[in-house]
Amino acid sequence: MPMYQPSSRREVDSQVLDLETAVKDGVLGGGGGGCGVIATVFGSEKLDLKLMIEELEPMDVPMVFICPISLEPMHDPVTLCTGQTYERSNILKWFSLGHCTCPTTMQELWDDSMTPNKTLQQLIHSWFSQKYLAMKKRSEDVQGRVKEILENLKKIKGQARVQALKELRQVVQVHGTAKKTVVENGGIGLISSLLGPFTTHAVGCEVIGVLVNLNLDLNSLSDLLQPAKISLMVDILNEGSIETKINCTRLIGMLIEGTDFASQNVASLSLLVGLLRLVKDKKHPNGVVAGLNLLKTICSHEPVRNSFVNVGAVPQLVELIPGLNNECLELVLHILELLSSTPEGRLALKDCPSTIPNVVKLLMKASENCTQLALSILWSICKFAPEECASLAVDAGLAAKLLLVIQSGCNPVLKQRSAELLKLCSLNYTTTIFISKCKLTRTIQ
């Protein structure tokens, strides 16, 4: 079939710039004309439609502006004989594939003409121009206000400082322009300097709320790692609102991940206790995720693990397991696996009566990654105390679960570890008793 070639174009000298009227009166058809940069309804200023669409933040766009093929706003709309309108480049590509039908209705085209829809093109340009100029105006207003706040912060104190920081926090949470303005005008150093041993918690909460929304360079991160500033963050984490606790957690996480930190300076007992409180508060899932992520990062540093075990972390984390989603489950299991690498961690896991039943239940139940982490934890404690833990694990249904893993499509490493653990668990039983313990009938079902 030959390539479809449009043979004619019509031009209609009509302009409709009001979308509501255009839709109501049914005049979104016909027209002729050009594309690219056209004059806006705001005067002689010319704005490029493609540039405006790229720079504007995602928003709900009227459906009549969307090409049915690409589902993107149209730049150069053309209308077919069926009355359907498409972006020119998209419909030409459709035709180049040998189609002689309308993509939306699948009707065979009885007329091969494409009519440039000038009216719709002007409506699209008018609508995006209004949004774009409004955005530019907001950006200019935001930049000016941010600069004004930064200047004021150099002079004001007390409640006025708290209010200024609160306004700045609210602005940087919403506007990317505000974040850029703070950075370009030396705001990070100014705001960081407000943290110190004599900073009130009211000021500290707002400072942390601002900083956690900014892209901090290495020098800024290093400055925030000063012991006095870390100590204040930890105090606020333990005493602030849930929003403040989450902000503190994320900021400390940024500091740890962005620098070669001294774990003993950051991972204080007070921080570990505060994070445990945060992850146990299931009313606020964002806090649970943030807290677990930071604990995982902290526990990746071996010197911290015994301190975490000593504050009673293991039984508290184990008790969380039944009510967690997959994301949080993986984080908790990863932390417990890290703690199981130390003798103190293995002892704590063994002594917690919920460890074995809670972890055994996760095998082949959540993700494969959860199964792998659960197997690693069970291996550590069964190897640590085989006579005591192996029998408890078998009674909790471990043998049947291991057989399921071995028979499944899991990766070979998991199957090998399962076979080794199954062998370890069988050492305390005769063959007949162990087979009965495996509950093969249930496994087969």
Side-chain angles (χ1 to χ4, degrees):
M1 181 181 293
M3 182 181 296
Y4 187 95
Q5 293 290 342
S7 61
S8 63
R9 296 190 179 104
R10 292 183 295 125
E11 292 193 5
V12 179
D13 187 17
S14 63
Q15 296 186 18
V16 181
L17 298 182
D18 179 69
L19 176 61
E20 185 177 348
T21 302
V23 174
K24 181 175 67 177
D25 294 346
V27 294
L28 287 179
C35 62
V37 180
I38 62 177
T40 74
V41 294
F42 299 94
S44 60
E45 180 185 2
K46 293 184 177 181
L47 298 172
D48 184 81
L49 180 59
K50 184 177 180 180
L51 178 64
M52 288 190 291
I53 293 173
E54 288 176 352
E55 290 192 13
L56 281 168
E57 296 178 356
M59 65 179 71
D60 291 330
V61 177
M63 285 302 298
V64 291
F65 297 167
I66 302 296
C67 174
I69 297 175
S70 66
L71 301 181
E72 296 289 338
M74 291 181 281
H75 300 241
D76 184 14
V78 293
T79 302
L80 304 184
C81 61
T82 59
Q84 302 297 321
T85 301
Y86 303 93
E87 170 64 28
R88 181 188 296 274
S89 60
N90 295 331
I91 194 63
L92 286 176
K93 184 175 181 181
W94 171 262
F95 291 151
S96 73
L97 296 174
H99 299 293
C100 290
T101 56
C102 174
T104 300
T105 66
M106 294 311 294
Q107 291 176 276
E108 188 170 344
L109 298 175
W110 59 88
D111 183 352
D112 62 359
S113 63
M114 290 191 310
T115 305
N117 196 327
K118 183 178 179 181
T119 300
L120 180 57
Q121 185 185 42
Q122 289 177 327
L123 281 169
I124 293 171
H125 196 282
S126 173
W127 191 85
F128 276 103
S129 294
Q130 292 180 48
K131 299 294 183 183
Y132 181 77
L133 293 176
M135 179 200 74
K136 287 294 185 183
K137 180 65 166 60
R138 287 195 303 270
S139 295
E140 291 171 2
D141 292 344
V142 166
Q143 288 175 344
R145 183 56 186 149
V146 167
K147 291 178 181 178
E148 185 180 349
I149 293 173
L150 292 177
E151 282 300 314
N152 288 339
L153 285 174
K154 297 175 183 178
K155 300 173 286 187
I156 57 178
K157 295 183 179 180
Q159 190 59 31
R161 174 178 287 178
V162 175
Q163 290 301 319
L165 286 167
K166 182 177 181 179
E167 182 181 352
L168 184 59
R169 171 177 60 81
Q170 292 169 341
V171 172
V172 298
Q173 283 176 338
V174 178
H175 298 284
T177 305
K179 300 176 186 180
K180 186 177 179 182
T181 305
V182 170
V183 173
E184 291 178 348
N185 289 272
I188 294 178
L190 171 63
I191 296 165
S192 298
S193 68
L194 301 179
L195 287 179
F198 304 108
T199 302
T200 65
H201 280 202
V203 170
C205 289
E206 299 301 339
V207 167
I208 290 166
V210 174
L211 292 175
V212 78
N213 285 288
L214 303 177
N215 294 320
L216 304 177
D217 59 26
L218 189 59
N219 289 335
S220 301
L221 293 171
S222 299
D223 176 65
L224 288 169
L225 279 172
Q226 294 178 36
K229 295 184 178 183
I230 290 292
S231 178
L232 178 64
M233 291 181 210
V234 173
D235 287 345
I236 293 174
L237 168 64
N238 279 285
E239 300 177 16
S241 66
I242 185 63
E243 181 184 4
T244 300
K245 290 175 188 288
I246 294 172
N247 286 339
C248 285
T249 301
R250 289 176 175 163
L251 182 57
I252 294 172
M254 290 164 60
L255 300 180
I256 293 176
E257 292 175 0
T259 59
D260 294 327
F261 80 105
S263 59
Q264 64 272 17
N265 291 340
V266 175
S268 64
L269 293 180
S270 182
L271 171 61
L272 297 174
V273 170
L275 290 174
L276 275 176
R277 290 199 195 103
L278 182 61
V279 301
K280 289 165 64 179
D281 186 356
K282 294 184 180 181
K283 294 180 181 178
H284 302 94
N286 289 341
V288 176
V289 174
L292 289 174
N293 271 308
L294 181 52
L295 285 173
K296 176 185 171 183
T297 302
I298 291 174
C299 289
S300 65
H301 297 266
E302 191 172 350
V304 180
R305 294 173 194 169
N306 284 343
S307 298
F308 197 34
V309 171
N310 291 336
V311 297
V314 168
Q316 295 184 61
L317 292 176
V318 169
E319 294 300 333
L320 287 177
I321 288 175
L324 297 176
N325 59 33
N326 280 8
E327 179 187 10
C328 292
L329 265 180
E330 289 195 15
L331 290 170
V332 166
L333 291 175
H334 197 107
I335 295 167
L336 291 175
E337 185 195 35
L338 290 170
L339 298 181
S340 72
S341 66
T342 68
E344 293 81 0
R346 289 191 288 273
L347 179 61
L349 284 163
K350 178 186 79 70
D351 289 342
C352 176
S354 299
T355 298
I356 290 176
N358 282 357
V359 176
V360 166
K361 288 176 183 177
L362 297 178
L363 295 175
M364 298 297 291
K365 184 177 181 180
S367 64
E368 184 170 314
N369 197 28
C370 281
T371 295
Q372 183 174 346
L373 292 166
L375 274 175
S376 178
I377 294 166
L378 290 167
W379 172 262
S380 294
I381 57 178
C382 288
K383 188 81 172 175
F384 178 70
E387 293 185 0
E388 181 179 352
C389 294
S391 59
L392 288 173
V394 171
D395 290 340
L398 176 62
K401 290 275 193 173
L402 293 175
L403 287 172
L404 281 175
V405 175
I406 292 169
Q407 296 165 25
S408 72
C410 292
N411 70 63
V413 174
L414 281 182
K415 292 184 177 184
Q416 179 62 31
R417 175 52 60 90
S418 297
E420 292 171 355
L421 187 52
L422 190 63
K423 182 178 180 180
L424 179 65
C425 291
S426 69
L427 296 179
N428 295 328
Y429 300 93
T430 65
T431 303
T432 304
I433 295 176
F434 186 67
I435 290 175
S436 68
K437 290 281 187 180
C438 288
K439 301 175 183 177
L440 288 176
T441 302
R442 184 185 300 175
T443 303
I444 292 171
Q445 289 174 348

